[in-house]
Structures are given as structure tokens and as C-alpha cells.
Amino acid sequence: MIFITAKFRVKPEHADNWPEISRAFTEATHAEPGCLWYDWARSLADPNEYVLVEAFRDDDAGAAHVGSDHFKTAQRELPPYLAETPRIVNAKVDQDDWSELGELAVK
């Protein structure tokens, strides 16, 4: 799978509304057949930063995502709400779901 984590620094005046601002893009991405997950979380250290954790089945699914109409719309509509260009880590991982964190196993 393609595993991606990205950090989005949102302008302070838009930070509380980011989930609604990005909702259409998020919902459309969730609906893609190759999307394994696409989850936003707000940073505890910086209330203006959102962390996106996403995964796509394979290269074809990743290409379909980047080539989608909703991706192109997001490229036009989301940057005005951002304080800076998002930062990203993108890696191919030889698995298709989350693994358990054995060191913190619940017994």
C-alpha cells in the first residue's frame, strides 16, 4: 500500500473550521475504491495544525486519487486556508492494514 502522512498548517482564523472546509474532499476521497483510509487529527501541540493519515491500495489507486476531479478542486480551493505548503511523508509499505502495537498490548 501507499502510506502517507501529511501536516497541514491552517491559518489561525480557519483552524476551527478546517474539518468543514475540507469535508467535501475528505468524503470524496473516502469514497474512492482504492482508498484504505483517510483520517484527519488535530495536533495537540499546535491547534492550527492538522495531521492527515491516509493509505491507498496501490500505485493505481494513488494515481486515481491524484487524477480525480475532487483532487483538482482541492488544489484550487484549499490553499487559501493554509499558512504554508503542507509537509508530507510518502512510503510504500508491504501490508494492507494497521498492525497491532504489541509493546502496548491490551490484556
Side-chain angles (χ1 to χ4, degrees), residues 70-105:
H70 55 273
F71 191 91
K72 291 178 179 95
T73 298
Q75 286 180 298
R76 287 190 313 272
E77 294 181 358
L78 296 183
Y81 297 98
L82 301 175
E84 64 187 33
T85 301
R87 292 160 291 144
I88 188 170
V89 174
N90 181 330
K92 289 186 181 179
V93 180
D94 189 24
Q95 61 190 75
D96 60 4
D97 203 352
W98 291 92
S99 300
E100 288 188 346
L101 179 58
E103 293 82 359
L104 294 178

PDB file of all heavy atoms in Angstrom, residues 70-105:
ATOM      1  N   HIS A  70     -12.090  15.692  -7.690  1.00  0.00           N
ATOM      2  CA  HIS A  70     -12.117  16.294  -6.352  1.00  0.00           C
ATOM      3  C   HIS A  70     -10.711  16.690  -5.885  1.00  0.00           C
ATOM      4  O   HIS A  70     -10.566  17.651  -5.145  1.00  0.00           O
ATOM      5  CB  HIS A  70     -12.834  15.405  -5.320  1.00  0.00           C
ATOM      6  CG  HIS A  70     -12.313  14.027  -5.189  1.00  0.00           C
ATOM      7  ND1 HIS A  70     -12.749  12.999  -5.977  1.00  0.00           N
ATOM      8  CD2 HIS A  70     -11.390  13.498  -4.351  1.00  0.00           C
ATOM      9  CE1 HIS A  70     -12.129  11.885  -5.618  1.00  0.00           C
ATOM     10  NE2 HIS A  70     -11.285  12.168  -4.640  1.00  0.00           N
ATOM     11  N   PHE A  71      -9.678  15.987  -6.343  1.00  0.00           N
ATOM     12  CA  PHE A  71      -8.304  16.380  -6.015  1.00  0.00           C
ATOM     13  C   PHE A  71      -7.976  17.711  -6.692  1.00  0.00           C
ATOM     14  O   PHE A  71      -7.412  18.617  -6.066  1.00  0.00           O
ATOM     15  CB  PHE A  71      -7.322  15.292  -6.436  1.00  0.00           C
ATOM     16  CG  PHE A  71      -5.931  15.502  -5.906  1.00  0.00           C
ATOM     17  CD1 PHE A  71      -5.547  14.956  -4.691  1.00  0.00           C
ATOM     18  CD2 PHE A  71      -4.998  16.250  -6.611  1.00  0.00           C
ATOM     19  CE1 PHE A  71      -4.262  15.145  -4.187  1.00  0.00           C
ATOM     20  CE2 PHE A  71      -3.718  16.445  -6.131  1.00  0.00           C
ATOM     21  CZ  PHE A  71      -3.345  15.894  -4.914  1.00  0.00           C
ATOM     22  N   LYS A  72      -8.357  17.828  -7.960  1.00  0.00           N
ATOM     23  CA  LYS A  72      -8.099  19.084  -8.687  1.00  0.00           C
ATOM     24  C   LYS A  72      -8.850  20.255  -8.048  1.00  0.00           C
ATOM     25  O   LYS A  72      -8.320  21.366  -7.942  1.00  0.00           O
ATOM     26  CB  LYS A  72      -8.481  18.913 -10.152  1.00  0.00           C
ATOM     27  CG  LYS A  72      -7.553  17.955 -10.891  1.00  0.00           C
ATOM     28  CD  LYS A  72      -7.985  17.774 -12.347  1.00  0.00           C
ATOM     29  CE  LYS A  72      -7.039  16.846 -13.057  1.00  0.00           C
ATOM     30  NZ  LYS A  72      -7.478  15.466 -13.077  1.00  0.00           N
ATOM     31  N   THR A  73     -10.076  19.989  -7.598  1.00  0.00           N
ATOM     32  CA  THR A  73     -10.846  21.027  -6.907  1.00  0.00           C
ATOM     33  C   THR A  73     -10.147  21.429  -5.617  1.00  0.00           C
ATOM     34  O   THR A  73     -10.030  22.618  -5.301  1.00  0.00           O
ATOM     35  CB  THR A  73     -12.276  20.533  -6.623  1.00  0.00           C
ATOM     36  OG1 THR A  73     -12.924  20.260  -7.870  1.00  0.00           O
ATOM     37  CG2 THR A  73     -13.079  21.563  -5.842  1.00  0.00           C
ATOM     38  N   ALA A  74      -9.663  20.453  -4.861  1.00  0.00           N
ATOM     39  CA  ALA A  74      -8.951  20.743  -3.608  1.00  0.00           C
ATOM     40  C   ALA A  74      -7.691  21.561  -3.874  1.00  0.00           C
ATOM     41  O   ALA A  74      -7.360  22.459  -3.083  1.00  0.00           O
ATOM     42  CB  ALA A  74      -8.609  19.440  -2.888  1.00  0.00           C
ATOM     43  N   GLN A  75      -6.997  21.273  -4.961  1.00  0.00           N
ATOM     44  CA  GLN A  75      -5.791  22.038  -5.301  1.00  0.00           C
ATOM     45  C   GLN A  75      -6.113  23.514  -5.498  1.00  0.00           C
ATOM     46  O   GLN A  75      -5.287  24.381  -5.201  1.00  0.00           O
ATOM     47  CB  GLN A  75      -5.138  21.479  -6.566  1.00  0.00           C
ATOM     48  CG  GLN A  75      -4.417  20.179  -6.351  1.00  0.00           C
ATOM     49  CD  GLN A  75      -3.792  19.677  -7.633  1.00  0.00           C
ATOM     50  OE1 GLN A  75      -4.489  19.391  -8.611  1.00  0.00           O
ATOM     51  NE2 GLN A  75      -2.478  19.574  -7.629  1.00  0.00           N
ATOM     52  N   ARG A  76      -7.299  23.805  -6.008  1.00  0.00           N
ATOM     53  CA  ARG A  76      -7.718  25.195  -6.225  1.00  0.00           C
ATOM     54  C   ARG A  76      -8.280  25.829  -4.956  1.00  0.00           C
ATOM     55  O   ARG A  76      -8.002  26.986  -4.656  1.00  0.00           O
ATOM     56  CB  ARG A  76      -8.797  25.272  -7.313  1.00  0.00           C
ATOM     57  CG  ARG A  76      -8.331  25.060  -8.712  1.00  0.00           C
ATOM     58  CD  ARG A  76      -9.427  25.396  -9.731  1.00  0.00           C
ATOM     59  NE  ARG A  76     -10.731  24.825  -9.408  1.00  0.00           N
ATOM     60  CZ  ARG A  76     -11.152  23.603  -9.774  1.00  0.00           C
ATOM     61  NH1 ARG A  76     -10.353  22.834 -10.474  1.00  0.00           N
ATOM     62  NH2 ARG A  76     -12.344  23.185  -9.452  1.00  0.00           N
ATOM     63  N   GLU A  77      -9.087  25.062  -4.211  1.00  0.00           N
ATOM     64  CA  GLU A  77      -9.874  25.652  -3.137  1.00  0.00           C
ATOM     65  C   GLU A  77      -9.221  25.639  -1.754  1.00  0.00           C
ATOM     66  O   GLU A  77      -9.517  26.511  -0.936  1.00  0.00           O
ATOM     67  CB  GLU A  77     -11.229  24.947  -3.053  1.00  0.00           C
ATOM     68  CG  GLU A  77     -12.081  25.196  -4.279  1.00  0.00           C
ATOM     69  CD  GLU A  77     -13.446  24.514  -4.214  1.00  0.00           C
ATOM     70  OE1 GLU A  77     -13.727  23.800  -3.215  1.00  0.00           O
ATOM     71  OE2 GLU A  77     -14.225  24.689  -5.168  1.00  0.00           O
ATOM     72  N   LEU A  78      -8.355  24.686  -1.454  1.00  0.00           N
ATOM     73  CA  LEU A  78      -7.829  24.573  -0.094  1.00  0.00           C
ATOM     74  C   LEU A  78      -6.626  25.476   0.231  1.00  0.00           C
ATOM     75  O   LEU A  78      -6.531  25.976   1.358  1.00  0.00           O
ATOM     76  CB  LEU A  78      -7.499  23.116   0.230  1.00  0.00           C
ATOM     77  CG  LEU A  78      -8.700  22.152   0.244  1.00  0.00           C
ATOM     78  CD1 LEU A  78      -8.261  20.751   0.638  1.00  0.00           C
ATOM     79  CD2 LEU A  78      -9.812  22.654   1.142  1.00  0.00           C
ATOM     80  N   PRO A  79      -5.692  25.721  -0.703  1.00  0.00           N
ATOM     81  CA  PRO A  79      -4.514  26.523  -0.342  1.00  0.00           C
ATOM     82  C   PRO A  79      -4.793  27.897   0.275  1.00  0.00           C
ATOM     83  O   PRO A  79      -4.035  28.305   1.168  1.00  0.00           O
ATOM     84  CB  PRO A  79      -3.737  26.638  -1.659  1.00  0.00           C
ATOM     85  CG  PRO A  79      -4.048  25.350  -2.347  1.00  0.00           C
ATOM     86  CD  PRO A  79      -5.518  25.123  -2.047  1.00  0.00           C
ATOM     87  N   PRO A  80      -5.839  28.623  -0.094  1.00  0.00           N
ATOM     88  CA  PRO A  80      -6.057  29.923   0.558  1.00  0.00           C
ATOM     89  C   PRO A  80      -6.295  29.836   2.070  1.00  0.00           C
ATOM     90  O   PRO A  80      -6.119  30.828   2.781  1.00  0.00           O
ATOM     91  CB  PRO A  80      -7.299  30.478  -0.151  1.00  0.00           C
ATOM     92  CG  PRO A  80      -7.284  29.828  -1.491  1.00  0.00           C
ATOM     93  CD  PRO A  80      -6.759  28.433  -1.239  1.00  0.00           C
ATOM     94  N   TYR A  81      -6.653  28.670   2.569  1.00  0.00           N
ATOM     95  CA  TYR A  81      -6.889  28.484   4.004  1.00  0.00           C
ATOM     96  C   TYR A  81      -5.622  28.082   4.755  1.00  0.00           C
ATOM     97  O   TYR A  81      -5.627  28.027   5.984  1.00  0.00           O
ATOM     98  CB  TYR A  81      -7.952  27.408   4.231  1.00  0.00           C
ATOM     99  CG  TYR A  81      -9.292  27.782   3.659  1.00  0.00           C
ATOM    100  CD1 TYR A  81      -9.690  27.302   2.419  1.00  0.00           C
ATOM    101  CD2 TYR A  81     -10.158  28.619   4.351  1.00  0.00           C
ATOM    102  CE1 TYR A  81     -10.930  27.642   1.887  1.00  0.00           C
ATOM    103  CE2 TYR A  81     -11.392  28.970   3.832  1.00  0.00           C
ATOM    104  CZ  TYR A  81     -11.774  28.477   2.598  1.00  0.00           C
ATOM    105  OH  TYR A  81     -12.998  28.817   2.075  1.00  0.00           O
ATOM    106  N   LEU A  82      -4.545  27.799   4.026  1.00  0.00           N
ATOM    107  CA  LEU A  82      -3.320  27.280   4.628  1.00  0.00           C
ATOM    108  C   LEU A  82      -2.296  28.377   4.893  1.00  0.00           C
ATOM    109  O   LEU A  82      -2.164  29.319   4.113  1.00  0.00           O
ATOM    110  CB  LEU A  82      -2.700  26.216   3.713  1.00  0.00           C
ATOM    111  CG  LEU A  82      -3.591  25.008   3.408  1.00  0.00           C
ATOM    112  CD1 LEU A  82      -2.915  24.091   2.398  1.00  0.00           C
ATOM    113  CD2 LEU A  82      -3.941  24.258   4.687  1.00  0.00           C
ATOM    114  N   ALA A  83      -1.552  28.200   5.978  1.00  0.00           N
ATOM    115  CA  ALA A  83      -0.491  29.143   6.332  1.00  0.00           C
ATOM    116  C   ALA A  83       0.799  28.846   5.579  1.00  0.00           C
ATOM    117  O   ALA A  83       1.649  29.724   5.429  1.00  0.00           O
ATOM    118  CB  ALA A  83      -0.237  29.089   7.838  1.00  0.00           C
ATOM    119  N   GLU A  84       0.962  27.601   5.139  1.00  0.00           N
ATOM    120  CA  GLU A  84       2.166  27.188   4.406  1.00  0.00           C
ATOM    121  C   GLU A  84       1.850  25.928   3.609  1.00  0.00           C
ATOM    122  O   GLU A  84       0.811  25.294   3.816  1.00  0.00           O
ATOM    123  CB  GLU A  84       3.324  26.924   5.370  1.00  0.00           C
ATOM    124  CG  GLU A  84       3.074  25.769   6.322  1.00  0.00           C
ATOM    125  CD  GLU A  84       4.167  25.622   7.376  1.00  0.00           C
ATOM    126  OE1 GLU A  84       4.736  26.638   7.803  1.00  0.00           O
ATOM    127  OE2 GLU A  84       4.432  24.481   7.771  1.00  0.00           O
ATOM    128  N   THR A  85       2.743  25.564   2.713  1.00  0.00           N
ATOM    129  CA  THR A  85       2.596  24.342   1.936  1.00  0.00           C
ATOM    130  C   THR A  85       2.664  23.139   2.876  1.00  0.00           C
ATOM    131  O   THR A  85       3.570  23.063   3.711  1.00  0.00           O
ATOM    132  CB  THR A  85       3.722  24.244   0.883  1.00  0.00           C
ATOM    133  OG1 THR A  85       3.643  25.389   0.033  1.00  0.00           O
ATOM    134  CG2 THR A  85       3.604  22.977   0.054  1.00  0.00           C
ATOM    135  N   PRO A  86       1.706  22.216   2.773  1.00  0.00           N
ATOM    136  CA  PRO A  86       1.747  21.032   3.647  1.00  0.00           C
ATOM    137  C   PRO A  86       3.040  20.238   3.469  1.00  0.00           C
ATOM    138  O   PRO A  86       3.654  20.236   2.404  1.00  0.00           O
ATOM    139  CB  PRO A  86       0.540  20.214   3.181  1.00  0.00           C
ATOM    140  CG  PRO A  86      -0.382  21.219   2.586  1.00  0.00           C
ATOM    141  CD  PRO A  86       0.519  22.236   1.928  1.00  0.00           C
ATOM    142  N   ARG A  87       3.432  19.576   4.550  1.00  0.00           N
ATOM    143  CA  ARG A  87       4.610  18.713   4.545  1.00  0.00           C
ATOM    144  C   ARG A  87       4.131  17.266   4.539  1.00  0.00           C
ATOM    145  O   ARG A  87       3.107  16.953   5.144  1.00  0.00           O
ATOM    146  CB  ARG A  87       5.477  18.998   5.772  1.00  0.00           C
ATOM    147  CG  ARG A  87       6.106  20.393   5.692  1.00  0.00           C
ATOM    148  CD  ARG A  87       6.557  20.922   7.033  1.00  0.00           C
ATOM    149  NE  ARG A  87       5.359  21.207   7.833  1.00  0.00           N
ATOM    150  CZ  ARG A  87       5.276  21.013   9.142  1.00  0.00           C
ATOM    151  NH1 ARG A  87       6.307  20.570   9.819  1.00  0.00           N
ATOM    152  NH2 ARG A  87       4.170  21.286   9.793  1.00  0.00           N
ATOM    153  N   ILE A  88       4.881  16.380   3.870  1.00  0.00           N
ATOM    154  CA  ILE A  88       4.387  15.030   3.631  1.00  0.00           C
ATOM    155  C   ILE A  88       5.488  13.980   3.776  1.00  0.00           C
ATOM    156  O   ILE A  88       6.655  14.252   3.490  1.00  0.00           O
ATOM    157  CB  ILE A  88       3.757  14.955   2.211  1.00  0.00           C
ATOM    158  CG1 ILE A  88       3.055  13.631   1.979  1.00  0.00           C
ATOM    159  CG2 ILE A  88       4.781  15.256   1.149  1.00  0.00           C
ATOM    160  CD1 ILE A  88       2.230  13.602   0.700  1.00  0.00           C
ATOM    161  N   VAL A  89       5.083  12.810   4.242  1.00  0.00           N
ATOM    162  CA  VAL A  89       5.908  11.608   4.188  1.00  0.00           C
ATOM    163  C   VAL A  89       5.087  10.605   3.396  1.00  0.00           C
ATOM    164  O   VAL A  89       3.915  10.366   3.698  1.00  0.00           O
ATOM    165  CB  VAL A  89       6.227  11.049   5.596  1.00  0.00           C
ATOM    166  CG1 VAL A  89       6.959   9.727   5.494  1.00  0.00           C
ATOM    167  CG2 VAL A  89       7.024  12.057   6.399  1.00  0.00           C
ATOM    168  N   ASN A  90       5.691  10.042   2.362  1.00  0.00           N
ATOM    169  CA  ASN A  90       5.001   9.136   1.451  1.00  0.00           C
ATOM    170  C   ASN A  90       5.871   7.898   1.297  1.00  0.00           C
ATOM    171  O   ASN A  90       7.032   8.003   0.901  1.00  0.00           O
ATOM    172  CB  ASN A  90       4.812   9.853   0.110  1.00  0.00           C
ATOM    173  CG  ASN A  90       4.100   9.047  -0.929  1.00  0.00           C
ATOM    174  OD1 ASN A  90       4.168   7.822  -0.967  1.00  0.00           O
ATOM    175  ND2 ASN A  90       3.410   9.733  -1.813  1.00  0.00           N
ATOM    176  N   ALA A  91       5.319   6.714   1.612  1.00  0.00           N
ATOM    177  CA  ALA A  91       6.114   5.486   1.536  1.00  0.00           C
ATOM    178  C   ALA A  91       5.248   4.317   1.085  1.00  0.00           C
ATOM    179  O   ALA A  91       4.047   4.285   1.356  1.00  0.00           O
ATOM    180  CB  ALA A  91       6.715   5.173   2.901  1.00  0.00           C
ATOM    181  N   LYS A  92       5.874   3.378   0.406  1.00  0.00           N
ATOM    182  CA  LYS A  92       5.211   2.124   0.091  1.00  0.00           C
ATOM    183  C   LYS A  92       5.485   1.156   1.235  1.00  0.00           C
ATOM    184  O   LYS A  92       6.623   1.033   1.691  1.00  0.00           O
ATOM    185  CB  LYS A  92       5.711   1.554  -1.224  1.00  0.00           C
ATOM    186  CG  LYS A  92       5.241   2.341  -2.417  1.00  0.00           C
ATOM    187  CD  LYS A  92       5.623   1.663  -3.702  1.00  0.00           C
ATOM    188  CE  LYS A  92       5.143   2.507  -4.870  1.00  0.00           C
ATOM    189  NZ  LYS A  92       5.509   1.913  -6.146  1.00  0.00           N
ATOM    190  N   VAL A  93       4.432   0.509   1.686  1.00  0.00           N
ATOM    191  CA  VAL A  93       4.525  -0.399   2.822  1.00  0.00           C
ATOM    192  C   VAL A  93       3.950  -1.744   2.403  1.00  0.00           C
ATOM    193  O   VAL A  93       2.885  -1.804   1.778  1.00  0.00           O
ATOM    194  CB  VAL A  93       3.746   0.177   4.025  1.00  0.00           C
ATOM    195  CG1 VAL A  93       3.824  -0.735   5.217  1.00  0.00           C
ATOM    196  CG2 VAL A  93       4.249   1.568   4.373  1.00  0.00           C
ATOM    197  N   ASP A  94       4.634  -2.806   2.777  1.00  0.00           N
ATOM    198  CA  ASP A  94       4.212  -4.151   2.393  1.00  0.00           C
ATOM    199  C   ASP A  94       3.192  -4.702   3.392  1.00  0.00           C
ATOM    200  O   ASP A  94       3.478  -5.619   4.154  1.00  0.00           O
ATOM    201  CB  ASP A  94       5.426  -5.077   2.293  1.00  0.00           C
ATOM    202  CG  ASP A  94       5.084  -6.424   1.694  1.00  0.00           C
ATOM    203  OD1 ASP A  94       4.076  -6.522   0.958  1.00  0.00           O
ATOM    204  OD2 ASP A  94       5.807  -7.399   1.983  1.00  0.00           O
ATOM    205  N   GLN A  95       2.033  -4.086   3.415  1.00  0.00           N
ATOM    206  CA  GLN A  95       0.899  -4.555   4.212  1.00  0.00           C
ATOM    207  C   GLN A  95      -0.330  -3.834   3.692  1.00  0.00           C
ATOM    208  O   GLN A  95      -0.220  -2.939   2.856  1.00  0.00           O
ATOM    209  CB  GLN A  95       1.124  -4.308   5.708  1.00  0.00           C
ATOM    210  CG  GLN A  95       1.285  -2.858   6.108  1.00  0.00           C
ATOM    211  CD  GLN A  95       1.743  -2.720   7.546  1.00  0.00           C
ATOM    212  OE1 GLN A  95       2.906  -2.970   7.831  1.00  0.00           O
ATOM    213  NE2 GLN A  95       0.843  -2.331   8.441  1.00  0.00           N
ATOM    214  N   ASP A  96      -1.506  -4.226   4.175  1.00  0.00           N
ATOM    215  CA  ASP A  96      -2.725  -3.596   3.675  1.00  0.00           C
ATOM    216  C   ASP A  96      -3.665  -3.153   4.797  1.00  0.00           C
ATOM    217  O   ASP A  96      -4.819  -2.833   4.557  1.00  0.00           O
ATOM    218  CB  ASP A  96      -3.458  -4.510   2.697  1.00  0.00           C
ATOM    219  CG  ASP A  96      -3.873  -5.832   3.329  1.00  0.00           C
ATOM    220  OD1 ASP A  96      -3.672  -6.014   4.535  1.00  0.00           O
ATOM    221  OD2 ASP A  96      -4.408  -6.677   2.596  1.00  0.00           O
ATOM    222  N   ASP A  97      -3.167  -3.131   6.017  1.00  0.00           N
ATOM    223  CA  ASP A  97      -3.954  -2.681   7.151  1.00  0.00           C
ATOM    224  C   ASP A  97      -3.003  -2.326   8.288  1.00  0.00           C
ATOM    225  O   ASP A  97      -1.792  -2.539   8.186  1.00  0.00           O
ATOM    226  CB  ASP A  97      -4.933  -3.773   7.588  1.00  0.00           C
ATOM    227  CG  ASP A  97      -6.134  -3.226   8.342  1.00  0.00           C
ATOM    228  OD1 ASP A  97      -6.158  -2.016   8.667  1.00  0.00           O
ATOM    229  OD2 ASP A  97      -7.069  -4.001   8.608  1.00  0.00           O
ATOM    230  N   TRP A  98      -3.558  -1.821   9.374  1.00  0.00           N
ATOM    231  CA  TRP A  98      -2.764  -1.494  10.551  1.00  0.00           C
ATOM    232  C   TRP A  98      -2.303  -2.780  11.233  1.00  0.00           C
ATOM    233  O   TRP A  98      -3.043  -3.764  11.262  1.00  0.00           O
ATOM    234  CB  TRP A  98      -3.594  -0.685  11.542  1.00  0.00           C
ATOM    235  CG  TRP A  98      -3.913   0.699  11.058  1.00  0.00           C
ATOM    236  CD1 TRP A  98      -5.026   1.077  10.356  1.00  0.00           C
ATOM    237  CD2 TRP A  98      -3.128   1.864  11.233  1.00  0.00           C
ATOM    238  NE1 TRP A  98      -4.973   2.418  10.080  1.00  0.00           N
ATOM    239  CE2 TRP A  98      -3.826   2.932  10.612  1.00  0.00           C
ATOM    240  CE3 TRP A  98      -1.913   2.121  11.843  1.00  0.00           C
ATOM    241  CZ2 TRP A  98      -3.327   4.232  10.597  1.00  0.00           C
ATOM    242  CZ3 TRP A  98      -1.423   3.415  11.828  1.00  0.00           C
ATOM    243  CH2 TRP A  98      -2.128   4.457  11.212  1.00  0.00           C
ATOM    244  N   SER A  99      -1.111  -2.750  11.797  1.00  0.00           N
ATOM    245  CA  SER A  99      -0.617  -3.838  12.631  1.00  0.00           C
ATOM    246  C   SER A  99      -0.839  -3.453  14.090  1.00  0.00           C
ATOM    247  O   SER A  99      -0.976  -2.277  14.411  1.00  0.00           O
ATOM    248  CB  SER A  99       0.887  -4.057  12.397  1.00  0.00           C
ATOM    249  OG  SER A  99       1.138  -4.385  11.061  1.00  0.00           O
ATOM    250  N   GLU A 100      -0.877  -4.446  14.956  1.00  0.00           N
ATOM    251  CA  GLU A 100      -1.014  -4.147  16.382  1.00  0.00           C
ATOM    252  C   GLU A 100       0.318  -3.655  16.940  1.00  0.00           C
ATOM    253  O   GLU A 100       1.382  -4.114  16.542  1.00  0.00           O
ATOM    254  CB  GLU A 100      -1.427  -5.398  17.149  1.00  0.00           C
ATOM    255  CG  GLU A 100      -2.854  -5.786  16.901  1.00  0.00           C
ATOM    256  CD  GLU A 100      -3.314  -6.920  17.804  1.00  0.00           C
ATOM    257  OE1 GLU A 100      -2.463  -7.577  18.443  1.00  0.00           O
ATOM    258  OE2 GLU A 100      -4.531  -7.140  17.872  1.00  0.00           O
ATOM    259  N   LEU A 101       0.245  -2.746  17.888  1.00  0.00           N
ATOM    260  CA  LEU A 101       1.414  -2.248  18.607  1.00  0.00           C
ATOM    261  C   LEU A 101       1.593  -3.154  19.820  1.00  0.00           C
ATOM    262  O   LEU A 101       1.055  -2.911  20.899  1.00  0.00           O
ATOM    263  CB  LEU A 101       1.210  -0.789  19.025  1.00  0.00           C
ATOM    264  CG  LEU A 101       2.328  -0.118  19.812  1.00  0.00           C
ATOM    265  CD1 LEU A 101       3.643  -0.137  19.037  1.00  0.00           C
ATOM    266  CD2 LEU A 101       1.935   1.296  20.173  1.00  0.00           C
ATOM    267  N   GLY A 102       2.340  -4.232  19.617  1.00  0.00           N
ATOM    268  CA  GLY A 102       2.485  -5.268  20.628  1.00  0.00           C
ATOM    269  C   GLY A 102       3.052  -4.802  21.947  1.00  0.00           C
ATOM    270  O   GLY A 102       2.732  -5.341  23.015  1.00  0.00           O
ATOM    271  N   GLU A 103       3.892  -3.764  21.915  1.00  0.00           N
ATOM    272  CA  GLU A 103       4.511  -3.263  23.140  1.00  0.00           C
ATOM    273  C   GLU A 103       3.472  -2.650  24.092  1.00  0.00           C
ATOM    274  O   GLU A 103       3.742  -2.499  25.285  1.00  0.00           O
ATOM    275  CB  GLU A 103       5.583  -2.219  22.812  1.00  0.00           C
ATOM    276  CG  GLU A 103       6.786  -2.781  22.074  1.00  0.00           C
ATOM    277  CD  GLU A 103       6.569  -2.917  20.557  1.00  0.00           C
ATOM    278  OE1 GLU A 103       5.477  -2.599  20.069  1.00  0.00           O
ATOM    279  OE2 GLU A 103       7.508  -3.370  19.880  1.00  0.00           O
ATOM    280  N   LEU A 104       2.304  -2.309  23.559  1.00  0.00           N
ATOM    281  CA  LEU A 104       1.235  -1.751  24.399  1.00  0.00           C
ATOM    282  C   LEU A 104      -0.016  -2.612  24.318  1.00  0.00           C
ATOM    283  O   LEU A 104      -1.135  -2.115  24.361  1.00  0.00           O
ATOM    284  CB  LEU A 104       0.926  -0.320  23.984  1.00  0.00           C
ATOM    285  CG  LEU A 104       2.033   0.699  24.208  1.00  0.00           C
ATOM    286  CD1 LEU A 104       1.601   2.080  23.709  1.00  0.00           C
ATOM    287  CD2 LEU A 104       2.426   0.790  25.671  1.00  0.00           C
ATOM    288  N   ALA A 105       0.197  -3.913  24.221  1.00  0.00           N
ATOM    289  CA  ALA A 105      -0.918  -4.845  24.066  1.00  0.00           C
ATOM    290  C   ALA A 105      -1.897  -4.730  25.244  1.00  0.00           C
ATOM    291  O   ALA A 105      -1.495  -4.620  26.396  1.00  0.00           O
ATOM    292  CB  ALA A 105      -0.401  -6.279  23.970  1.00  0.00           C
TER     293      ALA A 105
END
